[in-house]
Amino acid sequence: MRLTHLCVAGTVTLVVAAVTACSNSTYGGGSGGCTPTATQVCMINTAYSPTPLTVTHGTTVTWMNGDGFAHTVTNDAGSGETFNTQVGAGGTFTHPFNTAGTFNYHCNIHSTMHGAIVVN
Ligand SMILES: [Cu+2]
């Protein structure tokens, strides 16, 4: 008769993987705690979202930085609106848009970051 060793099942080793690939934000990765709204642009994963954002003239637009590092909100050359602000992790910046038009902007730190505000 064979002697059977009964292995005690249930010794489950949980491997807690340190996920770094998708957490470039100190605010939880992904949305970074920022939710885009009708008047708010999020800076998430080194991009503006949404873009373009369309608002009615007289609207104050808020940018929130959901990333864990700084961005800027800087008007493109020739834009009818002038702003240039560095926004740290978790920070916000607001700018009122009182004139209709399309206003392009970018991040001075990351050359791939471009956005637009369309004002009706
Ligand atoms: Cu940036």
Side-chain angles (χ1 to χ4, degrees), residues 36-116:
T37 71
T39 60
Q40 176 165 277
V41 176
C42 292
M43 293 175 264
I44 303 169
N45 296 326
T46 316
Y48 300 105
S49 177
T51 186
L53 177 72
T54 301
V55 298
T56 304
H57 65 278
T59 299
T60 294
V61 173
T62 299
W63 284 261
M64 180 177 179
N65 186 356
D67 280 334
F69 44 87
H71 295 295
T72 76
V73 181
T74 305
N75 64 275
D76 282 9
S79 173
E81 294 284 344
T82 301
F83 44 83
N84 179 22
T85 299
Q86 182 164 316
V87 183
T92 60
F93 163 66
T94 60
H95 182 82
F97 289 87
N98 296 317
T99 305
T102 297
F103 303 98
N104 296 307
Y105 62 93
H106 62 278
C107 173
N108 271 340
I109 301 170
H110 305 102
S111 61
T112 59
M113 287 181 73
H114 296 275

